Amino acid sequence: MSNTTVKQKRTALKVAKSSKTLNVSSGVFRVNQSITKTINPSISGKSFSSASDSKVLDKSLAQTPKHTVFDEHGQDVTPHPLYNPDPGVLQPKQGKIFPAHDTSWTTVTDFPSVAFQTTNASFTGPFTKSFFGSVSASRTSQTTESVTDETKDLLVKPDLSSSLSDVQARREEVKEQVREDIIDRVVDSYLTETETIWLLDIPAVSVSEDSEDAEAVKERNKYVERSMQTFNDAPKTKEVQSDSITMVDKAVMSSTWDMYDSFCNKGDASENIVVSAEGKKATVPDSSSMNHLLNPSGPDQSMSVFSTTSTVSGSSAHLEKMTCVLPVEEEPDLELILQSDKFKQDLAVMERVVLANIFQPKLAAYRQLPVIEDPDCVQTQIEEESWTEQSKNSLSPFLEHLWVFKCELTKGRNVSSMTWNKKNPDLLAVGYGQLDFKDQKPGLVCCWSLKNPTWPDRIFHCESGVTALDFSACNANQLAVGMYDGTIAIYNVQTTEQTPIIDSSDCANMHACPVWQLRWVDHDTGLAGEDKGEMLISVSGDGRISKWIHYKGLECVDLMKLKSPNMIVNNQRWNPKILSLAPGLCFDFHPNDSKVYLAGTEEGHIHKCSYSYNEQFLETYKAHTGPVYKVTWSPFCPDIFLSCSSDWTIYLWRQDLSKPVLGFTSGQKVVFDIMWSPHCATVFGAVREGKVEIWDLRVSSLDPTIVSVTNPGVNPTALLFTPETDCVLVGDSEGQVTVYKLKNLPAGDSTQVEALEDVIRTTLSSKHTLGKTDRDA
Amino acid sequence: MTAEVEETIKRIQSQKGVQGIIIVNAEGIPIKSTLDNSSTVQYAGNVHQLLMKARGMVRDIDPQNDLTFLRVRSKKNEIMIAPGKEMYAFLFRIQKPKQM
């Protein structure tokens, strides 16, 4: 019977070359008869399972597959037939059933079919075997065996001597490859209904009753009403009980930031749960992990919490694993906390806040904000008295002591230089180092923040005393430090590392004598070539002014050698070949014209030099009789500069005059440092042994306007004006940097440039007249 | 590193008017304190709740915001709380008259 049905199928196939699928979707067929399986890759829902049983390969269908298959992207992945047999040739081997081949056809498109087949193989085993046995007659014995083998394992590929062998081999290959590749692949299977298959279509013919043939037709169609009764098998009840589905209610109070947090941390894999599982409604163990913050006790309790959720969580197993691991990792390590950087930061914030409380009035005064009195504290008598004292003197200008930067580290050290950070006006770098030849000790650079006057933010220990400092303007975190032994180091103040980014100790050309001044100069105005950008320029006691380039290490190029000019000794010219270099102590670049700079030497000469000439000075100013400690251009008047020296004098010069315009002396004390005020053109500050002086040329050019005497034994050695507020910093030989506020200085609305020029003009004219009178007299 | 932290704590402690400093971990358990045990526990528990509330409030209004510092001034003293990620420190000060 099966044979006949097979043949029938075949004929049917031959006739209907329109290649409809021949999946027979009746259950009866499935069990007993041959079930054709077409090559056509489309699957019908029910028919698919039937197709998974024994199949007949329909070659003719292979030629014209009407059904196309599209994958998820809409591309046409209809498998092309590997073998296109001639349509007219009978396919004797057609009766062979190659479930494996069928799988090869279908695996290209329908992966689940393989699964079906593999799963159903065992199921249909007995049936197919019996079937195969019955169909064996229609096949060669060879193939029968092979087929049975195939049904057993579906993987054995017989070597067939048919013309199909190549095709089969190919198909097998395809099947092999595909199998391995796609074993793990998730494939979408689309189950669609095939078109209706007409197996037998005999359209009804209707004949009207009045026609001649009516009787004949009636005769032919003898309809007998007959009833049938189906057998009703005995019913059997079967009960199934499923596992009880435990339901757990979960509720989370989620706030806005809960949701924001979980949204932000959605991408993380495992840290997610520890970090921000609050409010993660999707994952089940959310309440447990949310509570880990509030959960006060240790692992035990949290373990129990997790265990309850793990029974409930239907989500992936790894999630459960995660929650079980959590209690172990969660225990915060005290040491870790204490050591974490975040903690340090927080502590630092705390410290600053406390200090802000303490120092608030002073800081407010510094920043020119109104001083807020603490409403809760009680003012004592003493305080009031001191206030009234100061208010008495409030008419005359004075320096109000605000606070002192000091700590035990800096005790006993001499402040040699101070500089503000160019970018952060609250950051001050102070260098500590002895200026004398004796008592040299290792130097120190401290970066103080205004917000914390009791402890510096950064401390760098240097090998030898620090004599010069400057912050870079381009890279505001680079601090150049010049030392007593001639080394120049560049530190990065962003880190607390003690080692500099680079230092010049490897450079062959390094300075042999103390570096007395350093400056980062921005040269990009007017210079061509490779000199653009910021460069570090230093002057040192070996008489050289050098430019340092950071290129694989600090390299230096000499800008100028400070030769001592020809000295006329006893009316003889000093032998020019034995020109020695005068130690340079200071230099200053012109604020507007960065090519011109002044350099002061130990001999008391001030040379005006140009960047482009390294041999000759443009001009020399001789007036000082002692080493010139500082020379500075006026920030407002382009022609004026000040110089101070150890011969107790400060001179005001004009660029074009070789003699100073004004000289300032007050007492016979060495002047260590001077600086123009950045706010007012006529004000400058000077630091002498034992005194801090603020001169205001509008008021008087003979006496300093403000004199502040320091403690006996302590010499102020460095002076710095603040760029924004009217405060002055004074560093002294005890390692303290005191901040003073300038009070009651006559303030002008403009920078008083004209005032300065007036003063100078009057002085010059008076001198001129004096000179005249002298000559006359 | 711990030495630095210890030093900072010492420095803060030595400032005028600071009565005590307590370091608390994220769950509200004090890990370090310069006060006696009972007051530490008392402070820690109370402040923890306040901190959670304050932080929740700040973040509710704008989730990208976060609490950086909290100060509670009272008649007799002032409590300063610096919240961190896994811990927070708070400081307990007494305002002595004119000795701030």
Side-chain angles (χ1 to χ4, degrees):
Chain A
M1 180 187 146
S2 49
N3 283 347
T4 50
T5 47
V6 168
K7 287 199 189 103
Q8 191 183 23
K9 292 289 176 307
R10 243 180 275 144
T11 46
L13 285 173
K14 287 223 174 97
V15 165
K17 275 210 188 137
S18 57
S19 72
K20 301 280 187 183
T21 52
L22 290 187
N23 292 331
V24 179
S25 51
S26 74
V28 179
F29 260 139
R30 194 181 319 152
V31 176
N32 297 333
Q33 296 167 12
S34 69
I35 293 150
T36 56
K37 163 94 176 136
T38 64
I39 310 156
N40 197 311
S42 74
I43 326 163
S44 63
K46 256 199 267 180
S47 62
F48 185 56
S49 51
S50 64
S52 61
D53 294 352
S54 51
K55 310 102 193 135
V56 169
L57 196 61
D58 181 14
K59 304 296 180 302
S60 60
L61 285 181
Q63 292 170 11
T64 53
K66 280 287 175 64
H67 294 265
T68 51
V69 180
F70 294 95
D71 68 358
E72 62 205 282
H73 298 295
Q75 291 164 359
D76 183 15
V77 291
T78 319
H80 299 293
L82 290 173
Y83 169 72
N84 295 318
D86 293 340
V89 172
L90 225 190
Q91 310 292 338
K93 309 282 191 321
Q94 222 169 1
K96 289 176 200 144
I97 291 158
F98 300 114
H101 293 304
D102 288 336
T103 61
S104 73
W105 273 110
T106 55
T107 46
V108 180
T109 54
D110 316 312
F111 177 62
S113 68
V114 180
F116 255 109
Q117 283 151 26
T118 48
T119 52
N120 288 339
S122 52
F123 176 69
T124 61
F127 300 106
T128 49
K129 272 190 201 149
S130 60
F131 167 61
F132 290 145
S134 60
V135 190
S136 62
S138 66
R139 289 187 237 126
T140 63
S141 55
Q142 213 183 4
T143 54
T144 311
E145 287 158 13
S146 58
V147 168
T148 47
D149 286 345
E150 284 177 2
T151 52
K152 283 194 182 121
D153 57 4
L154 289 182
L155 287 175
V156 176
K157 301 297 166 240
D159 184 34
L160 304 167
S161 57
S162 65
S163 56
L164 296 172
S165 59
D166 298 346
V167 181
Q168 290 156 13
R170 257 180 279 148
R171 275 200 220 107
E172 285 151 19
E173 281 168 22
V174 168
K175 191 214 164 218
E176 281 286 349
Q177 290 165 8
V178 172
R179 234 178 210 259
E180 283 161 20
D181 289 343
I182 62 176
I183 268 183
D184 291 320
R185 213 175 59 184
V186 175
V187 174
D188 296 322
S189 62
Y190 299 97
L191 307 178
T192 57
E193 207 177 308
T194 56
E195 302 170 20
T196 317
I197 300 151
W198 295 99
L199 292 171
L200 182 66
D201 188 16
I202 302 173
V205 178
S206 24
V207 175
S208 89
E209 281 198 356
D210 300 334
S211 73
E212 308 108 32
D213 295 342
E215 284 302 320
V217 172
K218 271 198 197 153
E219 275 293 317
R220 250 189 311 179
N221 304 336
K222 289 222 166 81
Y223 287 112
V224 178
E225 282 231 1
R226 208 165 45 143
S227 57
M228 290 238 341
Q229 187 180 20
T230 61
F231 288 115
N232 290 333
D233 296 328
K236 176 175 152 187
T237 57
K238 185 158 167 75
E239 286 142 18
V240 171
Q241 186 181 22
S242 67
D243 290 334
S244 68
I245 301 168
T246 52
M247 309 272 272
V248 171
D249 281 334
K250 281 232 163 259
V252 171
M253 276 290 290
S254 158
S255 49
T256 323
W257 52 273
D258 265 351
M259 296 192 278
Y260 176 79
D261 268 348
S262 27
F263 177 73
C264 283
N265 295 326
K266 205 168 50 171
D268 296 352
S270 53
E271 287 86 23
N272 225 359
I273 302 190
V274 181
V275 169
S276 75
E278 300 110 320
K280 226 185 181 163
K281 289 180 185 165
T283 66
V284 169
D286 49 2
S287 65
S288 58
S289 35
M290 183 181 78
N291 285 326
H292 91 278
L293 284 181
L294 310 173
N295 205 340
S297 70
D300 297 340
Q301 188 163 353
S302 37
M303 231 337 183
S304 60
V305 175
F306 289 137
S307 58
T308 52
T309 55
S310 64
T311 55
V312 174
S313 74
S315 47
S316 58
H318 94 273
L319 211 63
E320 287 180 29
K321 212 191 332 155
M322 219 47 67
T323 57
C324 292
V325 169
L326 270 183
V328 179
E329 295 174 3
E330 224 183 271
E331 188 66 41
D333 192 5
L334 298 188
E335 280 306 306
L336 276 180
I337 288 187
L338 288 178
Q339 287 181 12
S340 70
D341 280 337
K342 190 71 183 41
F343 181 62
K344 272 196 288 182
Q345 253 181 325
D346 291 336
L347 265 190
V349 168
M350 172 66 83
E351 194 181 351
R352 283 200 178 172
V353 174
V354 172
L355 288 165
N357 254 359
I358 299 174
F359 285 105
Q360 199 272 345
K362 315 286 187 177
L363 273 178
Y366 174 84
R367 296 196 199 272
Q368 296 165 324
L369 294 170
V371 178
I372 304 169
E373 285 294 327
D374 191 356
D376 293 325
C377 75
V378 176
Q379 283 224 356
T380 61
Q381 271 286 328
I382 311 162
E383 189 57 33
E384 284 179 16
E385 283 174 22
S386 67
W387 274 111
T388 48
E389 244 185 71
Q390 284 193 333
S391 59
K392 274 186 213 150
N393 298 336
S394 63
L395 295 174
S396 60
F398 65 99
L399 286 179
E400 184 189 344
H401 174 115
L402 288 180
W403 72 83
V404 182
F405 284 112
K406 68 171 180 204
C407 66
E408 317 98 39
L409 266 189
T410 64
K411 227 181 225 175
R413 292 179 190 266
N414 178 35
V415 173
S416 59
S417 55
M418 302 187 287
T419 174
W420 290 105
N421 187 323
K422 307 283 190 291
K423 204 158 174 206
N424 179 2
D426 285 347
L427 196 63
L428 173 73
V430 180
Y432 299 88
Q434 307 299 116
L435 296 176
D436 305 337
F437 174 64
K438 50 187 177 14
D439 338 304
Q440 277 298 316
K441 43 181 169 196
L444 186 67
V445 176
C446 289
C447 290
W448 295 87
S449 163
L450 283 182
K451 296 168 191 147
N452 186 351
T454 57
W455 191 258
D457 275 352
R458 297 274 184 271
I459 304 172
F460 300 107
H461 291 275
C462 307
E463 280 169 3
S464 64
V466 173
T467 49
L469 280 183
D470 199 26
F471 267 110
S472 160
C474 283
N475 311 318
N477 58 322
Q478 287 187 2
L479 176 65
V481 177
M483 291 185 243
Y484 196 83
D485 61 356
T487 326
I488 295 177
I490 301 183
Y491 283 89
N492 179 7
V493 299
Q494 279 175 341
T495 68
T496 51
E497 270 182 35
Q498 287 294 311
T499 51
I501 306 176
I502 189 150
D503 71 20
S504 74
S505 34
D506 297 329
C507 175
N509 250 350
M510 67 175 253
H511 289 298
C513 290
V515 177
W516 289 114
Q517 189 152 9
L518 277 179
R519 189 74 31 134
W520 290 92
V521 181
D522 204 357
H523 264 308
D524 54 16
T525 55
L527 284 178
E530 75 274 10
D531 289 339
K532 284 226 187 304
E534 236 194 358
M535 279 175 302
L536 182 61
I537 306 208
S538 68
V539 69
S540 100
D542 58 1
R544 290 174 12 218
I545 298 181
S546 332
K547 170 177 82 173
W548 294 83
I549 309 158
H550 186 152
Y551 174 71
K552 285 194 210 171
L554 276 181
E555 303 276 319
C556 93
V557 170
D558 279 348
L559 285 183
M560 173 65 72
K561 290 192 171 41
L562 296 169
K563 307 186 193 59
S564 23
N566 299 325
M567 287 164 37
I568 301 176
V569 177
N570 295 335
N571 291 331
Q572 287 168 1
R573 288 203 86 204
W574 197 256
N575 192 346
K577 293 218 175 70
I578 317 181
L579 275 179
S580 58
L581 295 176
L585 289 176
C586 54
F587 70 100
D588 194 20
F589 273 78
H590 195 275
N592 299 339
D593 180 11
S594 58
K595 275 203 215 165
V596 173
Y597 59 94
L598 293 171
T601 65
E602 207 175 19
E603 298 169 347
H605 303 302
I606 301 173
H607 304 289
K608 184 164 84 171
C609 325
S610 164
Y611 187 75
S612 357
Y613 303 109
N614 5 12
E615 293 296 321
Q616 283 219 313
F617 308 128
L618 293 179
E619 205 167 328
T620 308
Y621 305 93
K622 302 180 203 176
H624 282 294
T625 51
V628 178
Y629 282 136
K630 196 79 186 283
V631 66
T632 110
W633 291 97
S634 164
F636 299 106
C637 297
D639 292 332
I640 314 286
F641 64 90
L642 269 185
S643 66
C644 79
S645 110
S646 68
D647 63 354
W648 316 324
T649 59
I650 305 171
Y651 283 126
L652 178 92
W653 306 75
R654 213 169 77 176
Q655 212 187 150
D656 46 354
L657 300 174
S658 60
K659 288 285 163 206
V661 175
L662 279 172
F664 311 100
T665 40
S666 68
Q668 295 168 349
K669 294 281 162 73
V670 175
V671 183
F672 285 112
D673 202 358
I674 48 169
M675 186 166 174
W676 285 101
S677 157
H679 304 286
C680 186
T682 55
V683 174
F684 65 90
V687 166
R688 276 175 205 272
E689 229 175 291
K691 280 194 282 190
V692 176
E693 299 170 353
I694 309 288
W695 294 75
D696 187 349
L697 294 175
R698 286 166 300 181
V699 173
S700 151
S701 56
L702 293 177
D703 286 320
T705 318
I706 307 173
V707 178
S708 163
V709 183
T710 59
N711 299 330
V714 175
N715 291 333
T717 49
L719 180 79
L720 192 67
F721 274 89
T722 55
E724 281 157 19
T725 60
D726 52 354
C727 292
V728 135
L729 275 76
V730 176
D732 60 20
S733 55
E734 280 302 308
Q736 300 182 6
V737 176
T738 322
V739 181
Y740 293 100
K741 189 168 159 69
L742 298 168
K743 283 203 99 92
N744 296 326
L745 270 187
D749 44 354
S750 72
T751 51
Q752 306 290 326
V753 174
E754 306 87 27
L756 181 64
E757 286 176 358
D758 278 342
V759 167
I760 292 169
R761 222 176 303 128
T762 48
T763 329
L764 282 176
S765 53
S766 65
K767 259 200 197 167
H768 188 66
T769 53
L770 271 177
K772 268 197 181 147
T773 52
D774 276 346
R775 258 183 269 133
D776 293 343
Chain B
M1 277 215 293
T2 338
E4 224 181 286
V5 161
E6 294 280 345
E7 232 181 78
T8 317
I9 294 178
K10 242 194 314 191
R11 277 204 314 271
I12 299 179
Q13 172 75 17
S14 61
Q15 296 294 342
K16 277 189 274 202
V18 173
Q19 215 189 14
I21 176 166
I22 303 176
I23 319 273
V24 180
N25 76 346
E27 292 159 9
I29 307 173
I31 29 183
K32 212 171 168 41
S33 165
T34 59
L35 298 173
D36 58 280
N37 206 14
S38 51
S39 356
T40 303
V41 168
Q42 204 176 22
Y43 272 106
N46 287 322
V47 167
H48 183 85
Q49 295 174 33
L50 180 64
L51 184 66
M52 287 297 133
K53 269 289 186 204
R55 195 184 234 162
M57 177 209 79
V58 168
R59 297 206 71 204
D60 260 342
I61 294 170
D62 177 11
Q64 291 180 333
N65 208 353
D66 198 3
L67 187 67
T68 49
F69 204 80
L70 185 64
R71 247 200 222 203
V72 181
R73 289 192 86 154
S74 67
K75 265 199 248 176
K76 294 191 192 169
N77 38 42
E78 178 173 4
I79 302 175
M80 296 193 240
I81 303 154
K85 213 148 206 274
E86 302 111 20
M87 43 67 28
Y88 51 92
F90 64 89
L91 188 70
F92 176 49
R93 275 186 55 233
I94 282 192
Q95 241 153 251
K96 298 195 190 114
K98 203 43 205 137
Q99 274 213 27
M100 305 220 308

